[in-house]
Amino acid sequence: MSDSAIQLRPDIPEQLPAIAVKNAVVFPIPNLPVPLAVGRGKTMKAIESAADEAGMVFVVTQRDPDEEDPEPEDLYTFGAVCRILRLTRSIDQSHELLIEGVCRARVSRFLADDDHLRVEVAPILEDRPADPELSALVLNLKELASKVIQLSPRIPDEALSVIEGIDDAGHLTDLVASQLRIDVAQKQRLLETWDVKPRLQRVIEHLAHEAAILEISGKIRSDVRDSLDKHQREVYLREQLKAIRRELGDDDLDDDDLDDLTLRVEEAGMPEAALKAARKELRRLGRMNPQSAEFTVARSYVDWLLDIPWSERTEDNLDVRNAAALLDEEHYGLQKVKRRITEYLAVRKLKGDMKGPILCLVGPPGVGKTSLGRSVARALGREFVRISLGGVRDEAEIRGHRRTYVGALPGRFVQGLKKAGSRNPVFVLDEIDKLGNDFRGDPSSALLEVLDPEQNNSFSDHYLEVPLDLSEVLFITTANRLDTIPPPLRDRMEVIEIPGYIDEEKLAIARQHLLPRQLEAHGLEPAAVTFDEPALMRVVNEYTREAGVRTLNRQLAAVLRSVARDVATGDVDLPVAVDPDRIRAALGPQKYFPEAKEDVGMPGVAVGLAWTPVGGEILFIETTAMHGSGRLTLTGQLGEVMKESAHAAMSYIHARAEALDIDEEMFSKRNFHLHLPSGAIPKDGPSAGVTIVTALASLLTDTPMKDGLAMTGEITLRGVVLPVGGIKEKVLAASRAGIDAIILPKRNAGDLEEIPKHLREHMTFHLVERIDEVLKLALGLEVGRKRKKKRRPRAGGKGETTAMA
């Protein structure tokens, strides 16, 4: 609003007492008295103050009608300056004030007054241009007003003569606006529209809308009146409802649809709680407008209840031998998992009502954990559902959303049952170790009920809000590591560890599964390509380094693509023999080299074994000494636990210096540097303790470590070798690297039973309890015996000893 619209009027004081009104907007209409019900203390004080002054009061609407003592921020800033005509008092304090509007005004500021509201006002001069457009708008408004008066039974016909007798556009607009059936906020916007022409246009829009509604209402009343049975009130109400739906186009759900839904609910085999909830929603549907948002929510809820297979189940294939043969056909190895599945089938065959087990397959990527779940479902004759949990952070993904939210859906388990169409499918919960949590909840906590056999027979989904029986579902979860799974969740699962494959197993998997699959994918007949064993072994050893077979599968695909190209262009004759030369042409230069073939025959270097999420690895530890003050430097991106192991190893060597025949001055006049290559890869854990001790002892005694030997184990300052984990993966890594002797903690002797028999027969395992035994096996040192001192070479004349791998 421009300042030119605000003008001082001598007949209106700058400061006025103010009255706050509820649920009403007073328009400044001359010669039209407006009655107001008043009674609040501040209101009466304001009226008394106005009577003592100019007899005028400022009437303003409050934003919240429930506020009994409104503050300035609770009031609109536009209102009407009114002249008080009469105050009629009554005994019950509900007085009636009769006022007449003078002009619009805006509050410049609210004044401080304890007794009543008082404001400083700026009167608004309305712009009334005399132009043809304004006259046309006035004529249109009068026509619409006449139409509404004729259609509305609540407006007397005398109102039409009043409308026709007003020529002033502003006064006519305000009169019609005051009678419109619109909310207070819309009327307030009309009051704040000081320019007559825009205000006139808005009033016309509201009046046209009201005229349209009255026309439709009249048609509905006419339709109902024709079929009205005066003696049956219920028939009248139903006919009127049908007429309303027909007019609005909302006759989507007729009686036949409702009857069909009712029949389906009764035949769905729901438990009592679900049946009760479905019947309740059906009764609500019968009373709802099909176009309302609530109708859609209720209909979707009933549809979800009907989609759940409450009584549908598949018959298990209880032929144990057949199931075992099918698992062997689709997966090589993995004997623990296969045995556990056949045990479950055997018990089901004998007992009949066994609850489904909850298995957790833990192993490196690419060993077949997820595909094994699909094979289990096929062996059992059940439906298969895979649910990926990697990166899931919202609890509603597990339990569903409550129906109060827009777009609410059940959780993934309810959706999985709908997809399966049976109540006893195989659910594979993939990547359960990669669940997250944030402000939306903790999905791993929600899974506690799902994966607990004692609770999941009455699982509660927030969307359904009825108990759901998941006890017949066979849950198989997969993970790469256990330490990221919360202990309460881990405790509910039967953990089966799946180790990485050795080279022989990879060759067998490539022959039996990968090559036939890739030949079919590339349109090649099995007889068209020959893949000899040396060529396959070259792909395994020189182009892959993994615990599983995913990279191997991709590399075989790359080789066969090159064969397919040559066959398609006619450059080769069939059959095509894949030899090392073709592999190099397809895959490029050798990518991986056996680490054990590097030169470790220098003092200060030791070979250890490490566990990683993708399998085992061999680990080189290098040490060197130089002039200094006894400081130990550690590099190679070591974790805190490994750093502590290094300091413990150094302390042990220092404490046993005399027994190892090491000059004490070495610890005060030399600095030591311990390094683990592959510095970009973080390394941690205590299992490198024996390797670090051996590397430092090798450096300080100038004794190289024996070839073909690797080790693992945690150490203590007392010289005890403690057990570690991942023995099978570490032994497999040593085998791949060509190492034939391994030093292990004696307490890990039981883990050797998991090592393949042919490896146990061809490798030597030294089980030790103390570090002294490790040094004797690795360096040939007899701790405590005097040995002949060797002359240590000096580098550059300064006595510097360096070991590099």
Side-chain angles (χ1 to χ4, degrees):
M1 183 179 67
S2 64
D3 292 336
S4 60
I6 301 174
Q7 294 189 4
L8 295 179
R9 291 183 52 171
D11 59 327
I12 298 178
E14 291 186 21
Q15 297 183 4
L16 288 173
I19 296 176
V21 296
K22 303 177 182 179
N23 299 318
V25 176
V26 176
F27 288 83
I29 308 172
N31 303 317
L32 183 64
V34 178
L36 292 178
V38 295
R40 288 187 287 190
K42 285 190 175 182
T43 301
M44 299 306 297
K45 292 287 186 182
I47 294 171
E48 293 172 3
S49 177
D52 294 337
E53 299 176 10
M56 291 188 179
V57 69
F58 181 75
V59 181
V60 63
T61 303
Q62 59 186 69
R63 299 177 188 274
D64 185 3
D66 297 327
E67 184 64 48
E68 288 299 325
D69 188 14
E71 297 295 331
E73 59 270 15
D74 299 324
L75 305 175
Y76 288 101
T77 57
F78 277 78
V81 176
C82 298
R83 183 177 292 106
I84 297 177
L85 300 179
R86 185 177 66 248
L87 175 65
T88 304
R89 299 180 181 270
S90 62
I91 301 176
D92 59 356
Q93 302 298 317
S94 57
H95 314 304
E96 183 182 85
L97 178 68
L98 194 65
I99 58 176
E100 176 188 10
V102 177
C103 70
R104 282 174 170 77
R106 188 182 66 182
V107 177
S108 299
R109 62 190 180 97
F110 288 89
L111 305 174
D113 196 309
D114 296 333
D115 291 335
H116 61 275
L117 284 172
R118 196 167 184 85
V119 296
E120 184 175 300
V121 297
I124 300 173
L125 180 64
E126 297 181 11
D127 186 15
R128 292 182 173 86
D131 58 57
E133 184 180 357
L134 185 63
S135 300
L137 289 172
V138 169
L139 183 60
N140 191 6
L141 177 61
K142 288 185 177 182
E143 291 176 354
L144 280 173
S146 175
K147 185 176 182 180
V148 170
I149 291 171
Q150 292 174 1
L151 291 172
S152 176
R154 70 181 183 87
I155 303 177
D157 294 335
E158 292 77 11
L160 182 59
S161 59
V162 176
I163 296 292
E164 292 294 341
I166 300 176
D167 294 324
D168 185 278
H171 295 164
L172 177 63
T173 307
D174 288 342
L175 175 61
V176 176
S178 66
Q179 302 301 317
L180 286 174
R181 289 190 292 180
I182 56 177
D183 58 39
V184 172
Q186 290 175 307
K187 285 190 177 183
Q188 180 67 30
R189 281 195 290 272
L190 291 174
L191 179 67
E192 294 177 4
T193 307
W194 60 274
D195 193 352
V196 175
K197 190 181 295 183
R199 185 163 79 246
L200 190 55
Q201 291 171 338
R202 293 181 183 178
V203 170
I204 288 173
E205 290 175 2
H206 288 301
L207 202 58
H209 179 70
E210 187 164 342
I213 293 176
L214 288 171
E215 281 184 340
I216 295 173
S217 299
K219 189 175 184 304
I220 292 172
R221 286 195 301 270
S222 176
D223 291 343
V224 173
R225 194 179 301 115
D226 293 339
S227 59
L228 180 62
D229 185 350
K230 297 180 180 180
H231 303 288
Q232 294 183 356
R233 181 173 179 274
E234 181 180 353
V235 174
Y236 160 74
L237 294 175
R238 289 188 178 277
E239 288 297 322
Q240 188 176 39
L241 182 60
K242 287 182 180 179
I244 292 172
R245 287 178 174 173
R246 282 197 302 270
E247 193 63 38
L248 296 176
D250 294 346
D251 54 346
D252 297 340
L253 184 73
D254 55 24
D255 293 339
D256 293 337
D257 291 334
L258 195 58
D259 292 342
D260 179 59
L261 282 176
T262 304
L263 181 62
R264 289 175 58 196
V265 166
E266 297 299 330
E267 295 178 349
M270 299 181 186
E272 187 61 32
L275 185 60
K276 183 178 178 181
R279 287 170 176 169
K280 179 181 177 181
E281 288 300 312
L282 286 175
R283 288 194 296 270
R284 292 183 63 218
L285 279 174
R287 299 191 299 266
M288 285 184 185
N289 179 355
Q291 293 299 318
S292 68
E294 274 297 311
F295 179 89
T296 305
V297 172
R299 178 64 186 263
S300 297
Y301 178 68
V302 174
D303 287 340
W304 271 108
L305 287 176
L306 289 171
D307 287 337
I308 295 174
W310 299 101
S311 57
E312 299 293 329
R313 57 168 56 84
T314 55
E315 291 296 326
D316 283 347
N317 177 14
L318 299 180
D319 188 336
V320 179
R321 293 183 183 276
N322 179 66
L326 192 148
L327 291 173
D328 287 335
E329 175 189 337
E330 296 190 351
H331 284 80
Y332 184 87
L334 307 178
Q335 297 305 320
K336 278 187 179 181
V337 188
K338 294 177 181 177
R339 184 171 63 250
R340 182 63 184 87
I341 297 301
T342 53
E343 289 171 355
Y344 166 69
L345 282 177
V347 176
R348 277 295 308 274
K349 186 174 183 178
L350 297 175
K351 191 170 185 294
D353 60 348
M354 178 187 178
K355 293 181 178 179
I358 298 172
L359 308 179
C360 180
L361 309 182
V362 181
V367 295
K369 302 183 294 297
T370 305
S371 60
L372 184 63
R374 196 183 305 274
S375 298
V376 169
R378 184 181 167 200
L380 295 175
R382 294 189 179 189
E383 297 297 327
F384 172 78
V385 178
R386 175 181 171 271
I387 299 177
S388 177
L389 298 178
V392 171
R393 295 176 175 272
D394 191 353
E395 180 192 358
E397 294 283 343
I398 308 300
R399 289 192 177 276
H401 302 81
R402 300 194 183 276
R403 280 179 287 152
T404 52
Y405 295 107
V406 176
L409 284 174
R412 294 196 180 189
F413 292 96
V414 175
Q415 297 181 39
L417 285 177
K418 174 186 174 181
K419 177 183 177 183
S422 70
R423 60 182 295 173
N424 63 335
V426 174
F427 271 13
V428 170
L429 310 183
D430 225 357
E431 311 293 357
I432 197 172
D433 57 327
K434 298 172 181 63
L435 279 171
N437 62 80
D438 58 15
F439 64 93
R440 292 169 291 186
D442 184 2
S444 61
S445 299
L447 280 174
L448 295 178
E449 181 184 3
V450 178
L451 299 183
D452 190 338
E454 302 302 322
Q455 301 181 43
N456 62 9
N457 60 346
S458 58
F459 170 68
S460 176
D461 184 275
H462 288 160
Y463 183 86
L464 297 181
E465 293 182 328
V466 294
L468 185 63
D469 187 2
L470 298 178
S471 61
E472 296 186 41
V473 177
L474 172 57
F475 289 102
I476 299 177
T477 67
T478 71
N480 296 129
R481 50 195 303 175
L482 281 174
D483 57 324
T484 57
I485 303 176
L489 184 58
R490 189 167 62 238
D491 183 61
R492 283 164 166 76
M493 301 184 291
E494 181 179 343
V495 178
I496 300 177
E497 295 189 2
I498 301 179
Y501 296 118
I502 60 177
D503 291 348
E504 290 78 5
E505 291 173 329
K506 290 183 179 180
L507 284 175
I509 292 171
R511 286 282 184 204
Q512 298 177 21
H513 302 284
L514 303 184
L515 272 177
R517 193 182 307 156
Q518 290 297 340
L519 285 169
E520 181 181 357
H522 291 84
L524 298 170
E525 295 294 331
V529 180
T530 60
F531 229 121
D532 58 20
E533 188 164 313
L536 267 179
M537 185 59 74
R538 181 167 185 176
V539 176
V540 171
N541 289 333
E542 298 181 5
Y543 294 93
T544 69
R545 178 164 293 178
E546 58 177 345
V549 292
R550 280 185 183 153
T551 305
L552 175 59
N553 189 40
R554 287 193 291 268
Q555 300 292 35
L556 291 177
V559 173
L560 292 180
R561 282 198 300 272
S562 70
V563 173
R565 182 196 58 198
D566 293 344
V567 171
T569 57
D571 293 342
V572 293
D573 297 326
L574 298 179
V576 179
V578 178
D579 52 21
D581 291 337
R582 176 171 282 277
I583 289 174
R584 181 179 175 84
L587 302 181
Q590 180 178 350
K591 295 181 179 179
Y592 300 103
F593 299 87
E595 291 184 347
K597 292 183 179 179
E598 298 180 14
D599 181 16
V600 296
M602 298 182 65
V605 180
V607 182
L609 298 172
W611 178 92
T612 70
V614 296
E617 293 285 349
I618 63 171
L619 190 68
F620 288 93
I621 295 181
E622 306 169 347
T623 58
T624 186
M626 61 215 74
H627 280 293
S629 57
R631 183 165 54 89
L632 176 63
T633 301
L634 306 173
T635 58
Q637 206 175 161
L638 311 187
E640 291 299 321
V641 176
M642 186 170 281
K643 289 178 181 179
E644 292 173 358
S645 295
H647 287 290
M650 193 66 183
S651 298
Y652 175 81
I653 295 292
H654 195 169
R656 305 277 288 174
E658 183 177 354
L660 292 170
D661 195 20
I662 299 174
D663 189 353
E664 182 67 28
E665 291 187 356
M666 289 287 289
F667 298 97
S668 59
K669 296 184 177 180
R670 293 285 189 274
N671 284 340
F672 302 95
H673 187 167
L674 186 146
H675 177 67
L676 276 71
S678 301
I681 302 174
K683 309 168 189 70
D684 205 358
S687 63
V690 295
T691 315
I692 295 173
V693 166
T694 303
L696 290 171
S698 170
L699 174 70
L700 293 169
T701 60
D702 199 21
T703 306
M705 179 178 163
K706 295 180 180 179
D707 290 333
L709 179 68
M711 62 190 72
T712 185
E714 184 180 353
I715 62 169
T716 70
L717 289 176
R718 296 178 291 115
V720 178
V721 180
L722 301 179
V724 293
I727 295 299
K728 182 176 181 180
E729 288 80 1
K730 294 175 180 178
V731 171
L732 294 179
S735 173
R736 289 196 299 268
I739 293 173
D740 54 14
I742 299 177
I743 298 176
L744 297 174
K746 191 170 185 179
R747 295 189 211 175
N748 284 117
D751 294 319
L752 294 178
E753 297 177 4
E754 298 183 2
I755 307 300
K757 184 178 179 181
H758 71 280
L759 287 183
R760 294 202 304 267
E761 293 174 351
H762 291 87
M763 298 182 73
T764 302
F765 298 95
H766 303 285
L767 303 178
V768 299
E769 293 182 299
R770 301 193 60 82
I771 297 176
D772 296 350
E773 300 174 58
V774 176
L775 299 180
K776 182 177 180 180
L777 290 168
L779 304 176
L781 299 179
E782 294 286 348
V783 181
R785 296 185 181 181
K786 296 289 185 181
R787 62 187 183 86
K788 185 176 180 181
K789 292 186 178 180
K790 296 182 180 179
R791 182 182 178 186
R792 296 181 176 83
R794 295 179 176 271
K798 295 184 179 180
E800 182 176 352
T801 305
T802 305
M804 295 296 291

